[in-house]
Amino acid sequence: MSNTNRVYRLAKRPEGTPDHDTFELSEEEIPEPGPGEVLIKTLYLSVDPYMRDRMRDSESYEEPWDVGDPLKGAVVGEVVESNGARFDEGDVVTGELEWAEYATAPGPVLTEVNPDLAPISTALGVLGMPGLTAYFGTREVAQPSAGDTFVVTGAAGAVGSVAGQLAKLQGARVVGFAGSDEKVSFLEDDLGFDVGINYKTTDDYQAALDEAAPDGVDAYFDNVGGPITDAVFTRLNTDARVAVCGQISLYNSEDVPMGPRKLTQVIQSRATVEGLLVSDFEPRFEEGTKQLGQWVASGDISYRETVTEGIENAPDAFLGLFEGENIGKQLVQVAER
């Protein structure tokens, strides 16, 4: 075990898009686990778009970080020392921990990961928070049925790629927006989406929707917001359901831009528009993880991971999310088991 611990802290609050100056990598002592705690060696850490909101000095559904605070996110790690906790040395666990090579945590905030069920990295992706977000957002909020047309933005990301496949399992026609031809091929050839749309090479989103969804949109899973959502709202069918999961197109905006006002479309369609926070479904996480695991094991759900090596490259992995560099779940591998 190393004698030092590299930890990322928030160096400053970004104005607009974060850059490398937003992050400070410091070398510190490896922490000692207190009573009921374990010391964890980080194997994988997750970078996610919602973390951008925690860099602001404003209220949000997640508490903002102060300048100088360690950055935190979902981690899969190995227990290297236990001080009376319910885990033993060598156990693999997941929880919200610091962006660090080593971290301590109380046993109750951690969940054991079974390495025999699936690769441990999936606990941060298809079998973790992104997969659960897709599971509950699709099944409980967007609620596609057989014969419906389901549209998802950020479709090649960790959440969108699973949401689209879940809609296909329900018998829906699935249309996904993504940011490259490679991603469109991934959606159509690997995941079985009916139509993928490269939004970066599409000049007219409404015309693209008319072609991809000629019968209108019955269910919409929104990860992006912005002009694509404006276009989708004009194509909502009567009693359509909209799950608002993310607004990544706006996360780096200092002032939220005024877009076309589309609430008239909601009046006409009598659509239901509902915000989605996966934490609301925490009592049912075991149900969702079990079902997703069965679908992954049977091949009904496929997944892809983009893995960046080395904790020193974690900022690059995070910043790449806003450039659309990842396909599937973006992870940072910090160490090998």
Side-chain angles (χ1 to χ4, degrees):
M1 189 167 70
S2 171
N3 294 323
T4 59
N5 183 31
R6 290 185 290 175
V7 182
Y8 268 108
R9 296 181 178 274
L10 183 65
K12 67 173 186 178
R13 297 200 185 281
E15 296 181 3
T17 304
D19 57 25
H20 286 89
D21 292 336
T22 305
F23 307 88
E24 178 188 2
L25 183 60
S26 61
E27 289 196 0
E28 306 175 11
E29 292 185 356
I30 296 175
E32 295 284 340
E37 292 187 336
V38 294
L39 175 65
I40 299 161
K41 179 178 75 171
T42 301
L43 303 176
Y44 292 93
L45 65 83
S46 174
V47 294
D48 299 281
Y50 80 88
M51 295 173 175
R52 173 62 182 89
D53 217 30
R54 300 194 69 180
M55 298 176 180
R56 301 180 189 275
D57 186 15
S58 59
E59 291 187 7
S60 180
Y61 64 89
E62 289 280 0
E63 183 178 353
W65 294 311
D66 290 328
V67 173
D69 279 354
L71 304 182
K72 291 185 176 181
V75 164
V76 165
E78 182 178 359
V79 174
V80 295
E81 184 180 346
S82 179
N83 187 359
R86 60 189 178 94
F87 297 105
D88 298 320
E89 182 178 338
D91 285 346
V92 179
V93 295
T94 185
E96 183 174 341
L97 304 174
E98 296 176 0
W99 282 22
E101 291 174 301
Y102 294 90
T104 58
V109 305
L110 301 170
T111 302
E112 188 167 6
V113 176
N114 186 346
D116 297 327
L117 292 181
I120 60 174
S121 58
T122 59
L124 301 179
V126 65
L127 302 184
M129 183 270 288
L132 291 169
T133 301
Y135 179 84
F136 291 110
T138 302
R139 294 169 66 87
E140 302 295 333
V141 182
Q143 298 182 354
S145 301
D148 281 352
T149 296
F150 177 93
V151 175
V152 56
T153 51
V159 175
S161 59
V162 177
Q165 292 180 85
L166 292 173
K168 284 297 293 182
L169 289 175
Q170 295 296 112
R173 174 178 175 82
V174 176
V175 177
F177 282 86
S180 71
D181 290 341
E182 180 186 8
K183 291 182 178 182
V184 167
S185 295
F186 170 62
L187 298 179
E188 295 179 346
D189 299 338
D190 296 357
L191 303 187
F193 282 40
D194 294 282
V195 181
I197 299 172
N198 182 346
Y199 71 86
K200 291 185 178 179
T201 58
T202 299
D203 296 326
D204 187 335
Y205 298 141
Q206 291 183 344
L209 280 168
D210 286 341
E211 182 176 349
D215 296 326
V217 177
D218 301 291
Y220 177 40
F221 198 114
D222 185 15
N223 291 304
V224 173
I228 299 175
T229 292
D230 293 338
V232 173
F233 267 47
T234 68
R235 299 299 185 265
L236 293 177
N237 288 332
T238 302
D239 296 326
R241 287 84 56 202
V242 178
V244 183
C245 178
Q247 299 284 282
I248 193 172
S249 70
L250 305 176
Y251 285 166
N252 291 321
S253 300
E254 289 299 299
D255 297 308
V256 177
M258 179 64 73
R261 293 189 172 105
K262 297 297 182 184
L263 291 182
T264 301
Q265 311 298 331
V266 177
I267 297 171
Q268 294 173 247
S269 64
R270 282 86 82 198
T272 299
V273 181
E274 183 175 341
L276 168 63
L277 287 179
V278 69
S279 56
D280 291 342
F281 297 93
E282 186 172 358
R284 297 174 58 192
F285 278 4
E286 184 176 354
E287 166 207 326
T289 303
K290 181 179 179 181
Q291 181 62 79
L292 288 166
Q294 291 174 351
W295 280 326
V296 169
S298 67
D300 289 321
I301 289 182
S302 300
Y303 68 94
R304 188 181 295 187
E305 298 170 339
T306 299
V307 181
T308 299
E309 301 286 344
I311 193 171
E312 66 277 5
N313 295 315
D316 291 327
F318 176 75
L319 297 174
L321 294 172
F322 300 96
E323 301 298 326
E325 295 177 359
N326 62 298
I327 295 181
K329 177 61 190 156
Q330 175 67 64
L331 299 169
V332 178
Q333 183 169 14
V334 177
E336 294 185 356
R337 191 171 173 220

